[in-house]
Structure formats: structure tokens, C-alpha cells
Amino acid sequence: MGVQVSPSILSADFARLADECQRVAGAADWLHVDVMDNHFVPNLTLGLPVVESLLAAVTTPVDCHLMIEDPDRWAPAYAEAGAGSVTFHVEAATAPITLARDIRRAGARAGMGLRPATPVDAYADLLPEIDMLLVMTVEPGFGGQRFLDVVVPKIRRARELAKGRDLDLWIQVDGGVSAETIEVCADAGADVFVAGSAVYGADDPAAAVRSLAAQAERATASSWWCTGS
Ligand code: DX5
Ligand code: ZN
């Protein structure tokens, strides 16, 4: 799988969500849906009922990013509802291995998220249990924050770990991803790019998605980790 872009609808107009999703249809690989519970993060967005309605209204696969406490209890329902990818935060999970298996069993790709200060090496043994590692490049909770370039070595380390074990692991970056920062992420090893304000702040969101994808593809082609095969 090559470069993928997952626009975050956190920066869209919540009163017109289905229309906003339609604006990136055909360009976006995924729709990134940020679920926040005002406990794991200091913000509140939407939950399972809205995700269920969205799933019925859109054809683009849905990538749920759960910034919630007790994902062990809540995350599998998002997979059962039909989300193509469900990401929980490892800092919030009690039993991340069991949870990843539950998500996969329910038919979704299992993602595991790391806050900016959470090291990846501590979770190296878990990587075969997941399909995607989310490396947060801002503190989770809000769109429109500044990219934390201190996290870039962790993207690189995650890709090293995946390559060392010959894992087909997607590495997603989320937070402050834009035309200014996407290349450094792709070069380090990311291949799934979440962008909220850089997409929905643009006059033409679909064109913004295509432009970000093209930039990332160019950076990946000349990166240390891309074999070129
Ligand atoms: C933040 C969310 C992000 C957010 C990204 O906690 O997880 O998905 O929407 O927004 P931008 O791209 O504006 O930083
Ligand atoms: Zn997110």
C-alpha cells in the first residue's frame, strides 16, 4: 500500500457532516473521525451514534480515532458498526493485545495510538498485533495545533521496528500535518497522513488532499525506508 491521506472531519462543519465528507470523496483514502470523551482529552466531539449515521451516508472507508478512556469497553463497537479502521490509545487501554484482537475479530483494522511523549520501543512486541501505529504529532484534543517536530525520530524508529520484523505495518501521523510538514513525516517512515485544517481550511478540500498525497509520494520515493519495490 502506498501513501494514503485521511482527512480529519474535526475541521469540517459538524452541521453538514455528510456534505463535508462528500467534498473529499474520490480523493481521500479514508475519513478520519475523531472521537473525544472529555476525559482522555479535554474536548468532546461525537460518539457511536454519529459514526453509525456517517457510515450509512458515505462510501469512503472510515478511520475512527478514539481519544477516550476505557477503549477496551467501547472500541469494538465501532468495528462492529462498520468502521474500516479503529484506533485506540495505548495509554488508555488496560489490555491492548486483547483489544487489538477484538477489533480485528469484529472486522476492522486495528490501530494503536501513541501520544507525543509515549515511547514506541516499549510497545515493540505488540506491533505484530496491530495493523496501524498512530504516532501523534500534536497533543491529542484539538485541530489546528502546531506540528511537534520532536516526534519525528519516533516515526523513524517505528518504521525501523516494522522493517526489522518484516511487518506490513501502516504508520499514521496526526496533528499539524500540512504542506510544510508532510514531507518530513513521509521521509521518516509515515505512510498514512491525517490532515484536518490543511484540508478543510482549503478552498478546494479534494485538491488539497491530492496535493498532500503527491507531496508525500515524492518524499517517500527518495526516503531511507522505501525499498523502491
Ligand atoms: C487532534 C486530532 C486530529 C486533528 C488534526 O487530536 O486527532 O485528527 O483533527 O487536525 P490538524 O490537521 O488541524 O492538526
Ligand atoms: Zn485524529
Side-chain angles (χ1 to χ4, degrees):
M1 195 52 112
V3 160
Q4 299 183 78
V5 177
S6 186
S8 168
I9 60 169
L10 185 62
S11 296
D13 179 352
F14 270 29
R16 303 169 47 250
L17 272 187
D19 293 343
E20 291 282 79
C21 293
Q22 192 56 36
R23 292 174 80 196
V24 295
D29 298 286
W30 297 87
L31 289 168
H32 184 84
V33 178
D34 290 300
V35 175
M36 305 186 192
D37 67 352
N38 197 34
H39 289 274
F40 181 69
V41 290
N43 196 4
L44 185 66
T45 54
L46 47 81
L48 187 58
V50 176
V51 170
E52 286 173 335
S53 295
L54 260 187
L55 283 163
V58 301
T59 52
T60 309
V62 168
D63 158 31
C64 285
H65 176 194
L66 305 182
M67 286 161 276
I68 60 173
E69 288 186 353
D70 203 3
D72 306 69
R73 176 174 176 190
W74 302 110
Y78 289 83
E80 285 157 15
S85 176
V86 177
T87 297
F88 62 88
H89 269 268
V90 73
E91 304 89 350
T94 303
I97 296 170
T98 303
L99 178 52
R101 290 180 181 182
D102 286 348
I103 291 169
R104 282 176 159 178
R105 196 176 308 115
R109 295 177 60 87
M112 187 174 80
L114 307 177
R115 299 182 78 126
T118 303
V120 66
D121 279 281
Y123 300 103
D125 291 344
L126 271 65
L127 298 182
E129 298 287 337
I130 59 172
D131 301 293
M132 182 169 80
L133 182 75
L134 162 58
V135 178
M136 288 302 300
T137 41
V138 298
E139 284 298 340
F142 298 92
Q145 299 182 74
R146 200 180 166 83
F147 180 80
L148 294 173
D149 50 12
V150 70
V151 179
V152 171
K154 183 163 60 179
I155 303 169
R156 175 179 278 265
R157 179 65 183 144
R159 183 55 71 191
E160 277 172 4
L161 289 168
K163 279 181 81 76
R165 291 166 182 234
D166 205 21
L167 298 175
D168 181 19
L169 180 72
W170 294 359
I171 298 179
Q172 183 179 61
V173 283
D174 180 11
V177 175
S178 69
E180 286 70 46
T181 57
I182 197 166
E183 290 176 17
V184 73
C185 296
D187 183 61
D191 55 357
V192 186
F193 303 89
V194 177
S197 44
V199 169
Y200 281 101
D203 291 338
D204 183 342
V209 169
R210 291 195 189 95
S211 171
L212 288 168
Q215 256 190 298
E217 273 160 18
R218 282 194 298 274
T220 303
S222 60
S223 69
W224 71 274
W225 65 275
C226 181
T227 58
S229 58

